[in-house]
Amino acid sequence: MSNYKVLFGLRTLKNILTNFVDSFLVLYFLDISDSNILPLGIYKLVAIIAIYSVIYLTKNFAKSQHRANLMRIGIILDFIYFLTIILLKDKIVDYIYLVGLLYGLEEGFYYSVYNILESDGITNEERAKFAGTYTAVESILSIVFPLIFGSLIYATSFLKSLIVVFIIILLRIALSFMYKDNNVPKSNKINMKKYFELTNKDKRFKQMYKLEFLNGIVYSEAAFSYIVTIYIIKVFSNSFSLGVFTSIFSIITCIIGILFAKFIKKEDYEVAIKISMMFTIIFLFFMILNCNPITIVLFNLFQTISKKFKNLITGNNQANLSNYKEIAKEYKTEYWLANESALVIGRIISGIIFILLSCINLTIMIIVYALFLILFATNSIKLQKMLMEKELQI
């Protein structure tokens, strides 16, 4: 099997599990903690610190010929993470630090090399097609799986539904052993000083770090991202309703994936970001002023669109920049470590604010979230302008 197909399968299956954790696991946490969001904030903060610790400690191994094993360790730890949830059952809140640590170890090992392997396995020319097609396929599966998970949890229990999760993990383990590693760096030791010497004069890299910092606050493994799920749960209070809701919005991401792969060009990226983020922010404030089913649905409609555009466009830009000729062969690990460092600072700030505001008021929390979302949107547009200007110069 080609690396293109292996990476396609790994990404799709991983995304299904991520969606499960971000929706149904949050609902389970809130159910067994009597809607106390403080344990959720602690869980997320412990996970964030563990993720970065693993990525930092494995930085040299991530440049070795055995680096694909880090990804495999991450997938195996995913199995252990969900097995622990089954064994702890409703005592999970009492062991929130352990569960957060396991999730952080799983994510840390997996992403210590996955982005590097995907950057090597997919060329810049193939990337838009890969990302768009993946989004369409993943979205179709995301229509089905939330309904499966929601129905299983509603009919049996959250814990019994995890059998589907274990099947997905086993498929990921099998796929990981089909990946054929290439472009292994000659040096197996990180050299951040040399990397920064090669990239510091290029403003695109600094702007990417800034965007990753804000991404860590509002989207990627950010505690703030749970606010959206909490608001949905306030109206769609059971797992089946949450599954239906998630599936409906997956249809939208399917359409976006097809549009991205077939019709949207690089010169259209800036407009796509502007329009989708503008409506997301507008309807977020409507939801703050009057939280009801209509405002929640409208906000999530545009939030789904803007987040998917964000994932596709930023993901493409980030991977393409990693293939910058000065760093493509020897300094990709340094590039991704620099990005992860900016990302984790944002995630930690997000987690701390989430914990502090969980003791105050959910409305204040979401207003703070809205302000960071505005900063994220403006910096996304700024980066896109920089990238297009550079392409025109070339």
Side-chain angles (χ1 to χ4, degrees):
M1 187 181 290
S2 68
N3 282 346
Y4 187 102
K5 292 179 180 177
V6 170
L7 291 166
F8 193 94
L10 285 171
R11 225 204 209 199
T12 302
L13 294 172
K14 175 63 173 171
N15 198 273
I16 292 170
L17 292 184
T18 300
N19 289 336
F20 176 83
V21 170
D22 288 345
S23 52
F24 295 105
L25 187 57
V26 174
L27 178 60
Y28 182 64
F29 274 173
L30 292 175
D31 278 346
I32 61 177
S33 65
D34 297 322
S35 296
N36 180 7
I37 65 173
L38 181 59
L40 200 58
I42 294 170
Y43 160 83
K44 182 55 79 173
L45 188 58
V46 171
I48 289 164
I49 294 170
I51 290 169
Y52 185 73
S53 298
V54 172
I55 290 172
Y56 183 80
L57 292 171
T58 59
K59 60 185 184 297
N60 288 326
F61 198 82
K63 295 190 77 170
S64 76
Q65 61 181 334
H66 305 293
R67 58 186 182 174
N69 287 328
L70 293 174
M71 176 178 67
R72 294 171 188 133
I73 291 169
I75 298 172
I76 292 168
L77 283 170
D78 213 3
F79 186 93
I80 296 170
Y81 165 70
F82 282 107
L83 181 62
T84 302
I85 292 172
I86 288 177
L87 294 174
L88 291 176
K89 298 179 181 178
D90 58 356
K91 291 183 179 179
I92 191 171
V93 175
D94 299 328
Y95 295 89
I96 203 71
Y97 293 97
L98 172 63
V99 179
L101 176 64
L102 284 172
Y103 181 68
L105 292 175
E106 171 264 310
E107 292 285 287
F109 275 103
Y110 187 78
Y111 283 110
S112 63
V113 288
Y114 179 80
N115 288 323
I116 301 167
L117 298 180
E118 187 174 288
S119 175
D120 289 338
I122 309 296
T123 65
N124 285 7
E125 292 72 27
E126 294 174 319
R127 204 170 308 285
K129 179 184 175 183
F130 175 87
T133 307
Y134 150 76
T135 301
V137 171
E138 179 268 327
S139 299
I140 292 169
L141 293 175
S142 294
I143 295 167
V144 176
F145 275 94
L147 290 173
I148 292 173
F149 285 130
S151 300
L152 278 174
I153 295 168
Y154 189 72
T156 57
S157 68
F158 172 83
L159 298 176
K160 289 182 180 178
S161 72
L162 292 181
I163 185 66
V164 179
V165 170
F166 287 127
I167 292 170
I168 292 171
I169 293 171
L170 291 173
L171 288 173
R172 290 175 64 218
I173 292 172
L175 279 172
S176 72
F177 282 96
M178 297 180 189
Y179 181 85
K180 301 174 185 68
D181 199 3
N182 51 42
N183 197 37
V184 177
K186 293 178 182 178
S187 170
N188 61 0
K189 191 173 181 181
I190 287 285
N191 190 341
M192 295 303 296
K193 183 179 178 181
K194 181 64 176 177
Y195 164 76
F196 284 122
E197 284 177 3
L198 293 170
T199 59
N200 262 349
K201 292 181 181 179
D202 194 326
K203 292 181 180 178
R204 296 176 301 170
F205 286 87
K206 291 180 180 178
Q207 185 61 27
M208 180 63 79
Y209 306 148
K210 190 184 293 185
L211 190 63
E212 281 298 278
F213 166 73
L214 292 167
N215 187 27
I217 292 177
V218 298
Y219 283 128
S220 178
E221 289 295 335
F224 271 134
S225 64
Y226 285 151
I227 296 172
V228 177
T229 304
I230 291 167
Y231 263 80
I232 294 170
I233 291 169
K234 285 175 69 175
V235 175
F236 303 93
S237 57
N238 63 57
S239 56
F240 182 73
S241 298
L242 184 59
V244 172
F245 188 87
T246 306
S247 292
I248 289 171
F249 281 96
S250 293
I251 297 171
I252 297 166
T253 59
C254 177
I255 294 168
I256 292 171
I258 294 169
L259 289 173
F260 192 84
K262 298 289 184 181
F263 305 108
I264 298 177
K265 299 176 181 178
K266 286 183 180 179
E267 51 266 32
D268 301 321
Y269 288 179
E270 186 181 333
V271 176
I273 294 169
K274 280 181 178 178
I275 294 174
S276 62
M277 290 301 296
M278 179 182 71
F279 279 105
T280 300
I281 292 164
I282 288 171
F283 282 102
L284 176 57
F285 279 105
F286 280 151
M287 193 176 78
I288 292 170
L289 293 170
N290 184 14
C291 181
N292 59 56
I294 294 173
T295 56
I296 286 179
V297 168
L298 286 173
F299 164 70
N300 275 277
L301 169 64
F302 289 104
Q303 193 257 0
T304 299
I305 294 170
S306 65
K307 188 174 181 180
K308 187 51 63 177
F309 272 129
K310 184 279 297 184
N311 288 339
L312 288 166
I313 294 170
T314 303
N316 273 18
N317 290 338
Q318 199 173 33
N320 288 344
L321 200 55
S322 75
N323 286 327
Y324 175 57
K325 62 181 180 179
E326 298 290 339
I327 65 169
K329 180 63 180 175
E330 290 297 322
Y331 299 101
K332 275 191 180 181
T333 304
E334 287 84 345
Y335 168 78
W336 289 108
L337 182 60
N339 277 272
E340 284 293 334
S341 298
L343 188 68
V344 77
I345 294 169
R347 287 172 171 173
I348 290 171
I349 290 172
S350 172
I352 292 170
I353 295 173
F354 187 93
I355 289 171
L356 291 175
L357 293 182
S358 67
C359 305
I360 305 171
N361 187 288
L362 190 60
T363 303
I364 294 174
M365 188 187 291
I366 206 164
I367 290 171
V368 174
Y369 170 74
L371 295 175
F372 278 116
L373 201 59
I374 292 169
L375 285 173
F376 179 84
T378 54
N379 278 277
S380 294
I381 294 165
K382 186 177 179 180
L383 175 61
Q384 197 55 45
K385 285 180 177 177
M386 285 182 178
L387 293 169
M388 290 308 297
E389 285 171 5
K390 189 71 175 181
E391 286 208 5
L392 289 173
Q393 291 173 10
I394 296 172

